[in-house]
Amino acid sequence: MKKKDTDELLKKYLEGKTSEQEEQLLRDHSDDSYFLEEIRFYDKSNKKKLSDSFDERIKKSIGSVDKKLHINTGVLFRVAAVFLLIFITVLLIQMNASYQQMSARMDTMQSALAITLMDQQSVHVKLKALELVGGLPAMQTELSTSLMELLNTDDNVNVRMAAIETMAGFPKDELVKKELIKSLGRQESFLVRAILVESLIKMNDPVILEELKRMIDDDRTELELKNQIKEILL
Amino acid sequence: MKMLSYFLLFTCCIEAGLKAQQLDPAPPIKVIENYTIELTRPWRSGLLKVETLYSRISVEAHDIDFVDIEIHDLQGSNEKYNSLDPNRWKNQELPFSFSENENDVILSEHAESETGLLLLIKVPEKFSVKLKSTVEDVFVLDLKGQIEANTKVGNISLNRIYGSVVANSVLGNIDVYYKEVTPRYPHAVSTLKGDLKLVLPANSSANVFIGCNNGKVKSEYPTKTSGKSDQNERIKVINMGMGEASIGLRTYFGNVNVYKS
């Protein structure tokens, strides 16, 4: 029997439209290799012609085929899930790396912008620049130089106070700490000095506190500054 | 009887004093000079920079495209300014010099000036101002541009303003009445020995940081203390709306009052 005929006959059989003769024909050709491959249930250990329980065998085999397919789908799904998980992990790592790179680049840009703005004449712009610096995670050398210049030379008291508060936001930066202490002797405004001493104390650094105590005992320290440190510190 | 006569005499004296006051009111403030500066680029905003030693500065914003400067004699006792003389500017008889360049108007008082004068300056609404008086007060009204004001002894009063403010005084009080709070630039107001008064619209979106070392803070808005450490207790914060604008207030010897408008 030809492949095409077998296909049609099987289809007809599964739809329950076969005549007795056609069913007989199917039984007769049940040993054909193509037929065997097609219905997938032929058991090599049971090489005999299909019996009357043909329907039951087909049902059984369909069930086992479904089961096999189900098992195969499960395995495939798991493999796919593992691949997907690996893919997502790699993607996340890459995204995190690029985010960090981007973030570092943004910080550099923000820092550069702040330095440029600090150079402007307007006090409003300078305060904006200091606000930008306050949002940075770490102090950069060039930036700290600009900040120190602003702190020690700017005409405006509000700008100098804002510079102190911004710098005090980086308490782990050794250069910032040193410059803040050094700046105490340079500030003429009582208010700026007071804010500076307060900010230094807030940093809660033993070295700074020691330095402030030393300044109180030092004869070279201005009397007014001495009193101010004493008042806030003690 | 004696007591009654004393009482009647006392009453008569008071009445006479009051009548004398009515008959002889304070001398009117004299306008001693007026000058209008036509702007080179009237369609653009500009900057007014005024620096005085002993003169009071008052800036009002109007819907105009020029800058108008009036010089008033506050005490009315400067006889040399008895009559208006349009040539005073030209002859440099006034203790001020001014210049205008691309909408930047700069007015500064000469160091030798010792007269108690008032500079009443009208500017376009969008102008920014940078005002500095060593001894006298500074007033600003209705301005939409940025304000920078500094005094050593005088008070600073900024009324119905819209722009960002940076103000500092050493021994003066500072009042700021915001009509609107702009978040464009941070605001900073400070004085060493003086009170700070802030009036804010209830719909403002701002965080107000108040540093008051030796005074009291009163606020019609709820305040909270910033941080947990003892050293931070001097900083109080008012959170309003989304907190877009940042306003820093600081007085070392003085009180801070914050009101709703």
Side-chain angles (χ1 to χ4, degrees):
Chain A
M1 193 163 61
K2 287 179 182 174
K3 180 187 168 188
K4 196 183 168 188
D5 296 338
T6 315
D7 280 349
E8 280 175 8
L9 209 55
L10 263 172
K11 196 180 167 189
K12 221 173 169 181
Y13 175 77
L14 289 168
E15 287 169 357
K17 291 177 182 174
T18 40
S19 62
E20 279 183 17
Q21 284 176 340
E22 284 169 329
E23 278 182 27
Q24 189 54 51
L25 198 63
L26 271 173
R27 284 189 191 96
D28 292 345
H29 289 276
S30 62
D31 281 340
D32 285 0
S33 60
Y34 174 73
F35 184 82
L36 295 175
E37 190 189 322
E38 193 68 16
I39 59 173
R40 295 185 190 186
F41 67 87
Y42 191 75
D43 183 0
K44 281 185 179 174
S45 62
N46 192 16
K47 277 186 181 178
K48 56 183 178 186
K49 286 185 180 179
L50 293 170
S51 65
D52 287 340
S53 58
F54 184 60
D55 282 352
E56 281 167 24
R57 275 170 176 266
I58 283 183
K59 278 178 192 169
K60 217 176 189 177
S61 79
I62 287 171
S64 74
V65 167
D66 280 351
K67 211 172 177 181
K68 274 180 192 171
L69 276 172
H70 184 72
I71 291 161
N72 287 342
T73 314
V75 170
L76 277 173
F77 180 75
R78 275 175 212 164
V79 171
V82 168
F83 273 111
L84 191 67
L85 204 66
I86 292 166
F87 175 74
I88 289 170
T89 312
V90 170
L91 198 70
L92 280 173
I93 290 167
Q94 274 186 345
M95 270 171 71
N96 188 38
S98 62
Y99 169 76
Q100 279 179 349
Q101 270 181 354
M102 222 165 79
S103 174
R105 227 178 287 161
M106 289 291 284
D107 289 345
T108 312
M109 275 168 66
Q110 197 169 323
S111 171
L113 179 65
I115 292 168
T116 313
L117 294 179
M118 275 185 229
D119 244 10
Q120 302 295 306
Q121 292 235 318
S122 162
V123 289
H124 305 273
V125 177
K126 284 177 189 168
L127 289 178
K128 188 76 190 171
L130 291 167
E131 202 176 61
L132 282 176
V133 178
L136 289 171
M139 180 66 76
Q140 294 167 6
T141 318
E142 207 180 337
L143 186 61
S144 60
T145 311
S146 298
L147 274 170
M148 286 160 209
E149 205 180 315
L150 209 61
L151 170 63
N152 293 321
T153 61
D154 200 86
D155 290 340
N156 195 285
V157 168
N158 287 311
V159 171
R160 295 208 297 277
M161 287 198 298
I164 291 166
E165 279 162 5
T166 306
M167 288 172 83
F170 300 92
K172 287 177 184 169
D173 194 302
E174 291 301 321
L175 187 63
V176 165
K177 277 193 271 190
K178 268 184 199 167
E179 285 302 320
L180 282 176
I181 293 172
K182 223 191 274 177
S183 184
L184 257 178
R186 292 179 188 163
Q187 299 297 334
E188 286 178 4
S189 160
F190 183 94
L191 190 59
V192 175
R193 280 204 304 251
I195 302 303
L196 189 45
V197 175
E198 271 184 21
S199 299
L200 284 168
I201 294 169
K202 263 186 217 171
M203 285 175 144
N204 206 18
D205 186 304
V207 179
I208 291 176
L209 296 176
E210 204 52 48
E211 180 61 23
L212 289 174
K213 280 176 190 164
R214 193 197 59 76
M215 284 176 87
I216 294 172
D217 298 332
D218 194 341
D219 292 338
R220 288 169 298 177
T221 312
E222 274 181 57
L223 185 68
E224 199 183 50
L225 177 59
K226 239 184 221 187
N227 291 338
Q228 215 170 349
I229 298 171
K230 265 188 209 171
E231 190 203 325
I232 300 172
L233 189 63
L234 304 174
Chain B
M1 194 65 183
K2 211 175 185 179
M3 284 292 281
L4 185 68
S5 60
Y6 278 133
F7 177 72
L8 284 170
L9 187 67
F10 179 69
T11 319
C12 288
C13 284
I14 288 175
E15 269 181 28
L18 286 172
K19 272 183 187 170
Q21 269 193 348
Q22 282 166 4
L23 291 171
D24 188 21
I29 294 170
K30 280 193 289 187
V31 178
I32 61 168
E33 197 51 81
N34 187 312
Y35 199 85
T36 302
I37 300 165
E38 299 296 338
L39 299 170
T40 326
R41 296 177 180 182
W43 59 91
R44 278 178 51 186
S45 62
L47 172 73
L48 171 74
K49 194 175 164 187
V50 185
E51 203 165 316
T52 70
L53 293 166
Y54 308 103
S55 296
R56 196 174 294 180
I57 306 167
S58 179
V59 177
E60 289 176 8
H62 291 272
D63 188 15
I64 51 175
D65 57 3
F66 54 86
V67 174
D68 186 73
I69 304 170
E70 273 183 11
I71 303 174
H72 296 241
D73 182 1
L74 287 173
Q75 293 148 357
S77 58
N78 294 290
E79 285 176 10
K80 61 179 175 176
Y81 301 129
N82 267 345
S83 61
L84 281 168
D85 179 359
N87 292 320
R88 275 203 193 107
W89 281 112
K90 284 179 196 166
N91 299 341
Q92 296 182 336
E93 286 173 23
L94 289 165
F96 298 100
S97 58
F98 82 89
S99 64
E100 192 271 337
N101 181 32
E102 302 208 339
N103 286 20
D104 285 1
V105 178
I106 301 171
L107 191 70
S108 57
E109 192 171 24
H110 299 157
E112 64 270 19
S113 165
E114 284 186 22
T115 52
L117 300 176
L118 160 69
L119 292 171
L120 178 58
I121 306 164
K122 290 172 187 161
V123 295
E125 285 170 332
K126 285 184 180 173
F127 248 57
S128 291
V129 293
K130 188 174 177 179
L131 313 170
K132 191 174 179 181
S133 175
T134 307
V135 176
E136 267 294 350
D137 300 342
V138 169
F139 300 92
V140 177
L141 187 67
D142 291 332
L143 203 75
K144 289 186 176 165
Q146 295 150 25
I147 299 169
E148 183 188 341
N150 294 288
T151 66
K152 295 273 184 225
V153 183
N155 300 319
I156 298 172
S157 180
L158 314 172
N159 288 301
R160 299 201 303 252
I161 56 157
Y162 298 77
S164 50
V165 175
V166 178
N168 172 258
S169 177
V170 180
L171 300 171
N173 302 321
I174 305 179
D175 296 353
V176 185
Y177 169 14
Y178 285 99
K179 194 79 181 162
E180 206 176 282
V181 182
T182 173
R184 196 171 170 197
Y185 295 107
H187 304 238
V189 179
S190 63
T191 178
L192 174 64
K193 191 174 186 298
D195 294 339
L196 300 179
K197 189 171 111 183
L198 188 72
V199 183
L200 288 165
N203 61 354
S204 304
S205 173
N207 287 330
V208 185
F209 302 92
I210 305 167
C212 182
N213 294 60
N214 300 288
K216 286 177 182 172
V217 177
K218 279 184 189 171
S219 169
E220 289 184 351
Y221 293 105
T223 58
K224 58 183 180 186
T225 305
S226 155
K228 285 176 185 173
S229 67
D230 292 344
Q231 287 123 357
N232 271 336
E233 276 179 9
R234 285 167 183 158
I235 303 287
K236 292 200 183 291
V237 184
I238 300 172
N239 299 118
M240 297 176 70
M242 301 284 285
E244 288 168 279
S246 158
I247 303 173
L249 304 177
R250 169 76 70 166
T251 174
Y252 206 78
F253 301 104
N255 303 315
V256 178
N257 294 298
V258 182
Y259 300 101
K260 284 180 188 174
S261 67

